[in-house]
Amino acid sequence: MSYASGPAPYGGQVPYGAPNQFGFGAPSLAPDIAPLPGASFGEAVKRFFQRYAQFRGYASRSEFWWSFLFIVVSLFALYLVFGVGIAALLANDASDASAGFFGILTIGIIGIFGLATLLPRLAVMVRRLHDTGKSGLWVLFALFGLDIVPLILCCFESRPDLYRPEWS
């Protein structure tokens, strides 16, 4: 499926016979809500933070999964620093106070990172669900511990023609 981008030619009017003139075919999307198919890792992470609170619009598969990988790798690295640091402190017979301080500091950094990326994670998932033709309300399954449901829905094929914001 291809996505049309940019304004219509001829001063904003759609010329006669244009593919989307009668509402058929792929919807023409404004650049601020259009997905970025085939996004690289850097482009996806950049858009992840640029559109941190944008719940309207669409996100391509690559945009969603590259940002998901960024979050997982970042959290893995932070937990690795935490584990290695605590193990090194305990192996060197450091005082329990220094190990406790390091643990609290690292867990605090992990918590701050989690809170700082919570809104962008929700936003990119809602945009990805819109791209699959689903409502962003599927994210609410995460409130009940069913995070896997929206993740599975994010794997579906892109079908932005099935979801229209005016239906919400």
Side-chain angles (χ1 to χ4, degrees), residues 12-34:
Q13 281 187 328
V14 179
Y16 182 77
N20 208 17
Q21 180 178 4
F22 301 109
F24 301 112
S28 56
L29 302 172
D32 63 329
I33 65 169

Side-chain angles (χ1 to χ4, degrees), residues 78-164:
L78 288 171
Y79 279 115
L80 188 66
V81 167
F82 171 70
V84 169
I86 292 294
L89 285 172
L90 294 177
N92 291 335
D93 293 330
S95 68
D96 287 337
S98 62
F101 174 74
F102 180 78
I104 290 172
L105 179 70
T106 311
I107 292 297
I109 291 171
I110 291 170
I112 290 170
F113 179 78
L115 285 175
T117 59
L118 177 66
L119 192 61
R121 282 184 286 155
L122 290 175
V124 75
M125 184 174 279
V126 167
R127 291 194 317 267
R128 177 67 195 137
L129 288 169
H130 289 172
D131 194 48
T132 62
K134 309 285 185 277
S135 170
L137 293 175
W138 282 94
V139 172
L140 295 178
F141 273 88
L143 294 176
F144 304 109
L146 300 170
D147 299 334
I148 193 72
V149 174
L151 274 179
I152 290 172
L153 292 175
C154 287
C155 295
F156 287 5
E157 190 71 30
S158 292
R159 292 292 309 270
D161 55 318
L162 296 180
Y163 175 78
R164 301 300 273 181

Side-chain angles (χ1 to χ4, degrees), residues 62-76:
S62 58
E63 208 175 327
F64 174 77
W65 289 111
W66 281 126
S67 61
F68 186 82
L69 179 68
F70 168 75
I71 297 296
V72 169
V73 168
S74 299
L75 284 174
F76 179 77

